[in-house]
Amino acid sequence: MKLATIRTTAGTAAVRIDDDGAVELGAADLGEFLARPDWRAAAESASGARHDLIGLDYAALVPRPEKVFCVGLNYRTHILEMGRDLPEYPALFAKFARALVGAHDPVELPAGSEQVDWEAELGVVIGAEVRHATPEQAAAAIAGYTVVNDVTARDFQYRSIEWLQGKTFERSTPVGPWLVTDVVPGEISCEVDGDVVQKADTSDLVFGPADLVAYISQIITLVPGDIIATGTPGGVGHARKPARYLAAGSELVTRVEGVGELRNTLVKGA
């Protein structure tokens, strides 16, 4: 099952994506919908207004999540590429909702940065409140998966030992196009202007989705609509010699096998 948030003439709507159209679920967005205890059954039985798939305008998957957690250095290949040892615990940082855009929206280049990089990531979406989760409870709290690109201003990121300032520029992080339930994500890849710059399998994750949910739930309660970006594999532009960065007009395509695809054009930010 695929669930999304789309823009309509009246605002936004949570929808189920079928082969022949999108069906409204009776909520303004997917975050609101996932807060229902019976969201899965409600999604399966929904019969609301229908929209043609052609020209469907995807908003950020969860426009106003309570929390967006991100994980640094979580693919073995990327860790080795950056010259680091495998971590004992996840490296966590956060984003804010204003950073998020839809699957086909323009991505704004952070103003003042000359080192804007790509980071293809598997996104995990929480579907049930969870705190101090066991591995089994953590897995059960996952509503499904989505695609994220953690577009990063490296020069801002490395101004200090804390990464947040390079990670949460407004309108910089595409998420979507939909949430997919009951799937095992496969290959993850990123293209820049037609060049494949990242390709790996999500099995290369050091800390898998349930591991991350269990760990983060020790720190804070995770609630429906929260997003976890699980980290990026090797191939980022900053690690290349010479380094390669995004520019206005760059075409960014991010894919996770079995989940979906983002297609975004980079534009100058305000």
Side-chain angles (χ1 to χ4, degrees):
M1 186 165 55
K2 297 177 182 177
L3 308 177
T5 300
I6 63 168
R7 300 183 182 101
T8 70
T9 55
T12 61
V15 296
R16 184 187 71 225
I17 305 295
D18 295 340
D19 292 339
D20 59 351
V23 179
E24 290 196 21
L25 302 176
D29 59 61
L30 193 56
E32 178 184 310
F33 183 73
L34 290 174
R36 301 180 182 179
D38 65 341
W39 67 263
R40 190 180 296 270
E44 291 172 348
S45 63
S47 57
R50 298 186 66 88
H51 300 264
D52 196 323
L53 294 180
I54 298 174
L56 211 58
D57 188 4
Y58 292 99
L61 183 69
V62 181
R64 293 172 296 278
E66 182 181 291
K67 296 180 286 298
V68 181
F69 274 101
C70 303
V71 185
L73 300 171
N74 196 27
Y75 278 84
R76 291 169 179 83
T77 53
H78 185 40
I79 294 167
L80 296 174
E81 165 184 81
M82 302 300 282
R84 299 172 181 260
D85 296 327
L86 294 181
E88 184 177 359
Y89 302 105
L92 301 177
F93 57 94
K95 286 183 182 285
F96 302 108
R98 286 180 179 268
L100 307 182
V101 298
H104 304 141
D105 290 344
V107 167
E108 292 192 5
L109 290 162
S113 175
E114 301 298 325
Q115 297 181 354
V116 182
D117 204 351
W118 54 84
E119 291 195 5
E121 308 207 9
L122 172 68
V124 174
V125 183
I126 300 300
E129 185 172 308
V130 64
R131 174 74 163 146
H132 297 302
T134 65
E136 294 76 19
Q137 290 168 334
I142 296 172
Y145 300 96
T146 192
V147 188
V148 179
N149 199 302
D150 178 22
V151 174
T152 300
R154 298 294 185 196
D155 36 9
F156 278 78
Q157 177 186 3
Y158 295 123
R159 285 181 173 182
S160 74
I161 60 173
E162 297 292 343
W163 291 354
L164 183 141
Q165 62 185 309
K167 296 286 190 172
T168 195
F169 277 86
E170 295 193 21
R171 297 174 293 277
S172 66
T173 305
V175 181
W178 41 61
L179 160 73
V180 182
T181 64
D182 306 314
V183 68
V184 177
E187 184 179 85
I188 184 169
S189 66
C190 182
E191 294 180 12
V192 177
D193 296 329
D195 296 333
V196 177
V197 292
Q198 291 182 285
K199 182 177 286 189
D201 196 281
T202 53
S203 63
D204 194 39
L205 285 166
V206 177
F207 303 101
D211 299 324
L212 294 170
V213 172
Y215 183 78
I216 295 169
S217 77
Q218 295 179 41
I219 301 166
I220 194 168
T221 301
L222 291 169
V223 301
D226 283 350
I227 298 170
I228 303 172
T230 58
T232 199
V236 297
H238 191 69
R240 293 168 180 261
K241 300 188 184 305
R244 178 179 177 180
Y245 299 111
L246 298 168
S250 293
E251 298 292 335
L252 188 63
V253 180
T254 315
R255 298 186 182 97
V256 177
E257 182 184 9
V259 180
E261 175 184 284
L262 308 172
R263 286 185 172 266
N264 306 93
T265 300
L266 278 292
V267 299
K268 290 184 178 180

